[in-house]
Amino acid sequence: MVKISVLQHAPSTHLPARPGDPTPTSRNLDPLMHPFARARERTRALNAVKMERIFAKPFIAALEGHVDAVETMARKPGTLNVVASGSWDGGMIVHDISLRRHILRVDEAHKGKISGVCFADEDRLLTCGVDRNVKLWDTREVDENGAGPSDVRKPLNVFPGKSAFNSIDHHRTDPIFATASNIVQIWDETKSAPISNLSFPTSIETISAIKFNLSESSVLASIGSDRTFTLYDIRTGKAERRIVMQMRSNALSWSPTFPTTILLASEDHNLYTFDIRSLKTPSQIYKAHVAAVMSCDWSPTGHQFVSGGWDRTVRIWQEGRGTAPEVYHTKRMQRVTSTLFTSDAKYVLSGSDDGNIRIWKARAHEKLGILDSRERAAIEYRESLKQKWKTDAQVNKISRTRHIPKPVHKAGQLKRTMLEAQRVKEERRRKHTRAGESKPTAEKRKVVIAEQS
Amino acid sequence: MARAQKPKQSRRPQAKSLKQNNLRGFAKRQSLKSQRSSKYSESSDVYEYQPENVRRSKVKLQLEKDELDGARRDISGSEDEDDGPKRNGLRPRLVGENDDEGGLGSDEDEEIDSDEAFDESDEERFAGFNFSTKKRSLQSRTVPLIDLNEDEVELEEAPSENASASEGEDSAADDEEEGDPEDFIDVLDMIDGKGPAESADEGEHTQKEERPSASKARVEGDDVPHLEDEDEDMHDEEDEGISSDESEEDESHISPMDDAISASGDEDDDVGTSLHDLQSFITNLDAGQKRKAPDDEAAPTTETGEARRQKRRMLKERTEAGEENEFAPHRGATKLNLDDLLNPLASSSSNLLSLKKSAKILTSISAKNQTLSAPLPQRTQERLDREAAYQQTKEEVDKWSATMKKIKEAEHLSFPLQAQPAGRTSNLELAAKFKPTTELESAVDRLLKSAKMREEDIAQTESLKMNHLSVEEVSARRAELAKMRELMFRAEAKAKRVAKIKSKTYRRIKKKEKAKIAAKLGEGSDDEDMNEETRMKHEVERARERATLKHKNTGKWAKAMRARGDLDEDQRRDISEMLSRGEKLRRRIQGIGSGDESEEGEDDTEDDEEGAADRIKASAFEELAQLDKGSEGEEDSGRKGKSIFEMKFMKDAIARDQQRAKQMADDFVREMGESNHEDDEDDELTGGRIEESSGATIERVGGRVTYRPGAQQSQLRTVNSLASDTSSITLRSNDLPSDVARSVTPSATSPIPEKLGIATEAPNPWLAPRQDPAKAVPKKHEIAVSKDSASVEKSKNKLRKKAQKHEEEQSKARNDAAVDISMSNVMTLGDNSSAGPSKPKTRSQSGNQRDDGDDDSDVHSEVEEQERLLDRKGKGKANGVKAFEQRDLVARAFAGDNVVRDFAEAKRREMQEDAPKEVDTTLPGWGSWGGTGTRKAQPKPHLIKKVAGVDPTTRADYKKAHVIISEKRDKKAAKYMVKDLPYPYTSKAQFERSMDIPIGTEWNTRVGFQRGTLPKIVTKPGTVINPLEKLL
């Protein structure tokens, strides 16, 4: 036989010597040997950012069921998929968002709008409405009476109040909850009357929303129709401090990771984060909405939050970055009245005037499903490339550009024009006053009118 | 008067609380309460309100002493109960009492009665009676008020009754009287829940006393900022628990006492009347003290007003001269001091200390401030409360700041942050936890148990065995075991490795080795012991082999085999074996012989290498010489003898043969005799010089002329030159061999030293290459010449030319030798010309040069060469210039590198390129006439394109000779430029550095890549991220 000598490809030279070892590289890692590294990486960054835009498909599903606008939503702590929502028609639904079905549905939970929903411990749910009642529900699919999801449910308990409730929130650990009407009331789940009333003296406002701090759970905050934000502590049993702002706030949310930080969604199209240790100025202003911001919610990571506005958009912000949020919109989505992050920080829910709850991805271009390690490495590489090359004009432009509905765009333009005109006017005024007499005030200083104690 | 004070006291806490800017919260109060309760726990009683009662009793005690001349009530016995009944009894009388008692003056008896008559239950009754909706706190607070009123009434009475009452006391009472109605109203108001409206007088009065109490409270309150004011309590009772109210009451009751003390201490100076007050107080005290016991006894019996009056008088008298004790300190010229009052208590208890401390502060403060400020409005107070509460919340929240900072600054966050680390379970853990559940498992377990093979059993048995051994033994055993194990392991590993080898050659070698080892072992035994036997055996074997002729194919068997046509395998193998054996045998026969020879030779050489070599050579040469002689002799004899050999062709043939033999001999001589014939060289060199001039040798042997290049041939020619010149073949050629033989020996040796000479001139890289004439004639030349004889002339010409050149060089060399050799000449000499001077030199100085050559044998390094060169130069010049020469050498090496000029030129070119210029864009033949006779028209102005460059004077590098700053702006590159420095970076360099480092796998190690691309925030899908929690 003819002896054939083949080119031998010894695998030992290309495989790690031991299982844990890195794969031997036959590359020269000397940067001088790679004069075109930068150019190549820039091209990759450009491709990465293009791919991001190509694959940005955030909308996942819409949960139907409400007849009227979705007023409020709450996620069940410790779960990923259970979300309760209340509507203007008094209907209350508990959704399983992963299966997209109703766990519980009560059509006439309250007379009139359900203004607040929150989960008590275990499977119980608290709702409050403008019918001056707080109701406690069992959200299990079959409750102890044997009533299934389709049966008419009776509340476990009803807490009657004296005036219409606007908001409700449950303490993180203790069986107490707080309601907001014309005053803030603290209730015990086992008692039918409020155990204490908290109000800032001389205030005759309507409290529109209330939230317990998550980490420092005795602290709670409320916002009122008097353009106020008030801080309470149930340990001292007092309204401790109040600030009055230029415009009233519509929603508030405590940061889960930074216990001193609170986020306010304001009527003046902006969102503000405050550090409760110094309420004189906001720590950051978030400007992008072109109409009043109706709701906001922090991501469980505390590095992102979502806001829904009267301008029919949902925006996802990075903490500390006051501009250029991710913007979601659909043709049929109306005013967004409630927004929510899921507990794994991967999805965002928005409830809107059209009675639907929509599920969005928190990161529009993220691939869902299982990733293998190489794919993950590639994704991470692309992300870091984008991050690195964001200063490049071309890359930046592509990543920045969003197509938004025309009305929103126009409103934005108009707003810009108006603000610019204001600025110019102010500048002129300053120019024509005696030198040094009027100084420009920082935008952050304009927000809070008064801090009351 | 004391009675008059009482209402103030009781209200004092309230007023005080109003006035205080209390940043004190209920927490503080609670602590106060606890303090207080501990204080008064000594006087423990079964009753619920015992502490307050006790305190109040104390107060009462003092007050009574203070104001009352007669002991109107029991201090000793049922103090606890005495408030309630009083209240009860008094309540209906509240309005009209003044008048009644004024006449009667026997209230106290009544009071005493009532005291005894009523129990604790009255309090409840009271509660039901008056403040049904309010809590007890209010009641209890109001109680003293009512009491006070009554007391005041009594006070008013007192002067009227008491003939001996001092004027001062009266005046004081009057003062009080004025305040009285207001007081009254006040109480009512309070009951209604309104804030107290105080008259100016009273305000003044109360302020005096309140201040100290407030300060005391402050002292006790330490640092807790918010003390809830009692006023607030009064107004929103529903919030407060009973306990807190009680505590407040405690406070309120304590403070009066202190106040009383302080008042007694200080007010003397301030108010003129107060001194008198005090005096009366003291006198009364004494009286009270004295009369306590009788009072008790008298309690049941009703006394008349006169009798009491009498008693009073008596007491009054007595007190004035009274003995000194705690209630009646000495009345000297000095003022009454607080210490005087406290001294008697010194022995009593530990709480005296705290009392003293507070008293000290009271005294110091009360001395300064006489008037107390009005209480803050409620709203302000609340604001202060809120402020304090906010501060506290802030503090609480601020505990998170470190955590938040850490999270903010973290480069990488993996959520959930507070996830419980899932511990890994080790094998041991699993084994420890394991319990057989299934049938199989339990069966196995049972078996193991029965066999005592379970882990613990094994350990147990081992330990049992170990018990008998000493420590050393155990360790030794263990060491041995370990060693064995180690060895076994190694052997195993080696065997495994070896077994893996597939190489056939390796196996073969291995096998041979093994065989050799075996043979060696056998041989070793042969040599030593079984010498004879084995040898015999071997001999026998060999003999048998020879007999059987197994090794030859001549044997019978072999023949038979050959006869057979086709052979089967065995037979074939046998045959091949036979053949191989024969072969081996043959080889052995030959090999032994040769081996012997070589051995002999080796032995010789071993004896004395050099001497032997010389000897051999000498003998060889001798032999050669003999051969020559012999041949000559033969020639001679042949000439004379046989005719046929005389014939020409025969002679030629013989000559040729001989020539060949000679040549061979020559070669041999040349090889061997290098070292021996150096002496001859001298002669030869001088003689052979001329001949050497022609590079090639022309040899003529027999009928053919052979041209050969090379030095060695030239030597041949020296001898043969004459013969060759004749160029005809004659018989004379017969004697050639002898000539050749004669000349060969010296000539053959001659080229070697010449070579050496050349070697001494070994190449110096700095010097121009020198041509070696011997080598210069290539082999090609030889071939060319020998091939076509027509080119002989050509070559001759060449040779001639060369010779001429040589002559010139020689002459030059001669000149040079005389003249000092300039270094520059040496260095710059080119190719052949350099060979001239150097070679002649060697020749001319051959004497000493050769010595050098001999010393250093034939090898000369470059260094030596250079050294020699320098030495030679040194002869001509001074030695000190060596260094300079070196420098010069370098300068010369880089001669012609006009860097500066080049740079200037480049800059000029750059400037020219950038300068503004006009370019004529006219296309020839377009827009102009063509043909012959047309002149070239001026370029049209619109076709002259002006390029606005950069004016040389405006350049950035203008007048900067050492730099070229390009004025070109690359538009394409501009696309990739960043306008401003991006945010986190503080300098351009920083930014550029960050951009320089690529992050891809191509340019990074695996780990580096992973680290470089790790995202800041990592969340796992499907993992609940809970908000941060306080971890205890």
Side-chain angles (χ1 to χ4, degrees), chain A residues 96-113:
Chain A
D96 184 330
I97 54 170
S98 56
L99 301 174
R100 296 174 208 169
R101 64 185 186 86
H102 299 163
I103 295 172
L104 170 70
R105 177 175 180 149
V106 183
D107 285 332
E108 278 284 314
H110 286 271
K111 284 210 169 60
K113 127 181 152 174

Side-chain angles (χ1 to χ4, degrees), chain B residues 731-979:
Chain B
L731 281 178
R732 271 187 68 191
S733 62
N734 288 351
D735 54 20
L736 260 173
S738 62
D739 291 340
V740 168
R742 219 186 304 135
S743 66
V744 154
T745 23
S747 68
T749 54
S750 65
I752 295 143
E754 180 138 302
K755 260 188 202 162
L756 289 179
I758 290 155
T760 54
E761 301 284 72
N764 178 351
W766 293 97
L767 297 172
R770 216 178 300 115
Q771 237 180 16
D772 180 340
K775 279 177 186 166
V777 184
K779 279 178 183 171
K780 251 189 223 165
H781 209 115
E782 175 189 18
I783 296 156
V785 170
S786 60
K787 263 184 184 169
D788 41 19
S789 53
S791 60
V792 171
E793 276 80 34
K794 238 195 231 172
S795 64
K796 268 185 183 172
N797 273 339
K798 244 185 207 169
L799 288 171
R800 215 173 297 135
K801 267 182 201 165
K802 260 192 184 170
Q804 273 179 357
K805 220 187 208 171
H806 216 273
E807 272 178 359
E808 278 173 15
E809 280 167 6
Q810 272 182 337
S811 64
K812 254 188 203 168
R814 248 170 266 131
N815 293 337
D816 288 345
V819 181
D820 180 22
I821 303 158
S822 87
M823 208 197 73
S824 61
N825 275 339
V826 173
M827 302 315 295
T828 48
L829 278 175
D831 4 284
N832 284 334
S833 60
S834 74
S838 60
K839 212 183 266 172
K841 237 181 281 159
T842 53
R843 299 272 152 71
S844 59
Q845 300 163 355
S846 57
N848 48 2
Q849 206 182 326
R850 217 175 294 125
D851 291 347
D852 292 345
D854 291 346
D855 293 339
D856 303 344
S857 78
D858 44 3
V859 185
H860 287 272
S861 70
E862 202 177 56
V863 182
E864 284 165 339
E865 177 72 10
Q866 279 188 337
E867 274 174 10
R868 219 154 33 151
L869 207 72
L870 284 168
D871 281 347
R872 224 178 297 141
K873 273 179 233 149
K875 279 169 200 166
K877 282 191 173 184
N879 287 331
V881 292
K882 267 186 194 172
F884 167 74
E885 282 160 3
Q886 285 288 354
R887 225 179 302 133
D888 225 20
L889 210 65
V890 173
R892 204 143 290 152
F894 293 104
D897 287 359
N898 284 316
V899 186
V900 178
R901 208 198 305 144
D902 289 350
F903 183 79
E905 178 64 23
K907 188 174 179 180
R908 197 187 55 76
R909 230 180 295 127
E910 183 97 351
M911 282 164 81
Q912 218 165 28
E913 268 172 26
D914 289 350
K917 55 192 160 196
E918 297 179 348
V919 181
D920 184 10
T921 57
T922 316
L923 282 174
W926 287 90
S928 61
W929 291 105
T932 50
T934 51
R935 279 178 293 132
K936 204 195 172 192
Q938 281 285 352
K940 304 243 166 60
H942 72 272
L943 288 174
I944 294 171
K945 197 175 150 193
K946 279 177 186 168
V947 178
V950 185
D951 190 48
T953 53
T954 59
R955 286 178 69 93
D957 57 359
Y958 182 61
K959 280 188 175 170
K960 285 172 188 160
H962 302 298
V963 286
I964 300 173
I965 301 169
S966 176
E967 296 285 331
K968 284 172 192 150
R969 185 173 162 276
D970 193 347
K971 270 184 193 169
K972 277 181 184 169
K975 203 168 75 176
Y976 306 111
M977 299 297 226
V978 178
K979 262 188 227 157

Side-chain angles (χ1 to χ4, degrees), chain A residues 10-26:
Chain A
S12 62
T13 55
H14 306 284
L15 292 173
R18 279 165 301 176
D21 285 1
T23 313
T25 49
S26 51

